[in-house]
Amino acid sequence: GESFGWDRYHSYESIQKFIDGVIEDHQDVVTPFIIGKSYEGRDIRGIKISYKEGNRGIFLESNIHAREWITSATCTFFINELLTSKNPEIRNIAENVDWYIIPVFNVDGFVYSHEKDRMWRKTRQPTTNPKCPGADPNRNFDTHWNNDQGSSGNPCDETYRGSAPLSEPECKALADFVRSIKDKVGVYLTYHSYGQYILTAYGHDENEFPENYDDMLAIAKASHDAILDQGYGTKYTYGSAASVLYIATGSSLDYAYNELDIKMGFTFEFRDKGRYGFVLPSINILPNCQETIAAMIALVKRSKELGYL
Ligand code: 0X9
Ligand code: ZN
């Protein structure tokens, strides 16, 4: 839409209009999809971008955590670049990968973070404690789920894992959708903030590493280098999630790796390193977008070289 820009953060409504515009303006290559409904009844929408037959796919979700607004801002910029950029490197990744992108995954939480509580993280489904709604959707997936080291059983905690694996309708919908396309997907990406990390599986144990960890590190390093090359002095740290950040169980990335056999993927934790944290000033949006585009170009190139795409 004409009023959409990356100089500020947008509401849920505004992002829906952006998605509508993308679908309307690029009908030849964009196919909309809905993975299901949130607890409060909102559609969880995505788009597939495909320029030709025979491409391997990358799946990308952002705003699984509500307050991480930079993730959907960056994701919508990325979509716009894939569809409109004339830069040959961007055209290359746009046209030689099938993209499955969900710009705002945790829709209820996202709306709540705009309207009621800027620091809201979780879903909005009620729990056993009426004062503490919501589960952490990135602890609710069905992998190492009932683990007190990597999640909490207390509904009032920010890392509450939910009442059962996939108890959150959003997570169930995502698990079912990604399962349905898993044979086409070579790389799974999830956008978060903050801390400037590129994280691989595993999240559940800091001493256990995937058998293809060397490939993961090679691709992460390529993205890390590309970000540094943008010249803002933005330094990312890369490595397995549990070993470089902290143990977390039931994450979407580990679910994709462990249960769906998608053997390459990353959690990106965007700017900054903590000065502003989740409330990242909007002046950072465009530089973060530029760094992310560079990271994605490098990621696709290296993933293809190593046979994941
Ligand atoms: O805790 C999370 O879910 C992610 N960090 S955030 O600050 N965006 O909430 C990190 C998930 C990475 N996985 C592990 N650390 N295991
Ligand atoms: Zn997050």
Side-chain angles (χ1 to χ4, degrees), residues 195-199 224 235-239 244 273:
Q196 298 172 194
Y197 294 99
I198 303 169
L199 305 170
H224 158 278
K235 187 109 177 54
Y236 274 64
T237 304
Y238 59 92
V244 312
K273 294 287 283 178

Side-chain angles (χ1 to χ4, degrees), residues 18-155:
F18 168 81
I19 296 171
D20 291 340
V22 159
I23 294 164
E24 177 68 24
D25 295 348
H26 302 276
Q27 298 185 24
D28 46 338
V29 292
V30 172
T31 309
F33 60 84
I34 296 170
I35 64 167
K37 284 195 190 299
S38 67
Y39 171 74
E40 291 176 351
R42 295 181 179 87
D43 286 339
I44 304 168
R45 302 174 69 190
I47 59 166
K48 178 185 180 188
I49 301 175
S50 180
Y51 279 83
K52 60 176 202 276
E53 296 294 308
N55 284 339
R56 299 277 296 149
I58 294 184
F59 179 84
L60 164 61
E61 29 108 333
S62 63
N63 257 143
I64 188 170
H65 288 140
R67 62 194 172 193
E68 297 167 12
W69 294 0
I70 185 62
T71 64
S72 50
T74 303
C75 186
T76 51
F77 184 90
F78 185 57
I79 289 169
N80 191 57
E81 288 292 302
L82 289 176
L83 295 168
T84 67
S85 174
K86 295 190 166 66
N87 175 319
E89 290 189 306
I90 298 174
R91 293 265 41 84
N92 180 47
I93 66 166
E95 294 172 21
N96 295 301
V97 175
D98 279 1
W99 295 90
Y100 301 84
I101 306 179
I102 299 178
V104 181
F105 170 66
N106 180 3
V107 284
D108 296 350
F110 187 72
V111 169
Y112 195 80
S113 74
H114 275 264
E115 294 180 355
K116 295 276 168 43
D117 177 358
R118 177 65 186 84
M119 289 300 280
W120 193 256
R121 166 182 172 92
K122 300 190 281 183
T123 61
R124 291 295 303 164
Q125 179 166 248
T127 69
T128 52
N129 185 330
K131 292 198 173 104
C132 301
D136 182 346
N138 210 33
R139 301 292 183 282
N140 190 238
F141 289 88
D142 197 2
T143 185
H144 300 278
W145 177 80
N146 200 6
N147 175 314
D148 284 328
Q149 230 194 323
S151 64
S152 170
N154 179 350

